[in-house]
Amino acid sequence: TYMISNPKNGWCNFKLGDFEGTPSYITNAPIDLLDAFIDYYTRGYGLAHFDEEGSEFTLLLTWYGVYIIEEKDNVKSHVFYDLNISDLAKEVIADIETNLDGWCNDFMWYSFSKEDLNERLEKLKNIIK
């Protein structure tokens, strides 16, 4: 399984439980996702917002659960109490590392470099050791 995959032409796939989304490059999905997990471990909560160009969703990581707030025609929430944050963090790391060039070349067209992505990957890996 994956959480984020298929970076191509400025779009990617996001999947968590019964929720599926398609973030665009308007928000830097891999960077924002890594930052959310780093914040979870360093601040006690993490947040990543994803733009789908016409709709959006937000991932919230807390000590009590994982939440997705989906904003399309109306607002819908998805709540996951049984997910292990460390397992999710490892999954995100693997998802990004599996296609590092794709994330850097086909998705993050501006603002961040491969070095920025690698720096965050290493930081999160060190935190979850």
Side-chain angles (χ1 to χ4, degrees), residues 34-124:
L34 290 169
D35 284 347
F37 280 95
I38 291 166
D39 286 347
Y40 170 81
Y41 286 107
T42 58
R43 302 173 74 185
Y45 65 90
L47 182 76
H49 180 79
F50 304 95
D51 191 306
E52 298 178 297
E53 297 188 30
S55 59
E56 53 196 55
F57 65 96
T58 303
L59 172 71
L60 175 62
L61 308 170
T62 74
W63 297 117
Y64 303 105
V66 176
Y67 308 87
I68 291 179
I69 297 101
E70 179 181 9
E71 299 176 66
K72 292 192 177 173
D73 295 331
N74 52 24
V75 177
K76 182 179 179 185
S77 62
H78 304 262
V79 182
F80 308 96
Y81 292 117
D82 58 344
L83 297 177
N84 180 300
I85 299 285
S86 292
D87 290 343
L88 292 179
K90 290 173 189 170
E91 187 176 315
V92 166
I93 290 167
D95 291 347
I96 294 169
E97 287 184 333
T98 298
N99 194 357
L100 195 59
D101 287 336
W103 288 111
C104 293
N105 299 327
D106 297 327
F107 192 83
M108 299 190 314
W109 294 346
Y110 62 93
S111 301
F112 293 96
S113 66
K114 193 171 192 174
E115 291 75 29
D116 294 321
L117 197 52
N118 278 320
E119 180 184 310
R120 285 169 171 84
L121 284 164
E122 290 308 310
K123 186 172 185 176
L124 183 55

Side-chain angles (χ1 to χ4, degrees), residues 7-12 22-27 53 106-109:
K8 190 171 183 178
N9 300 323
W11 295 91
C12 70
T22 52
S24 88
Y25 72 96
I26 290 174
T27 51
E53 297 188 30
D106 297 327
F107 192 83
M108 299 190 314
W109 294 346

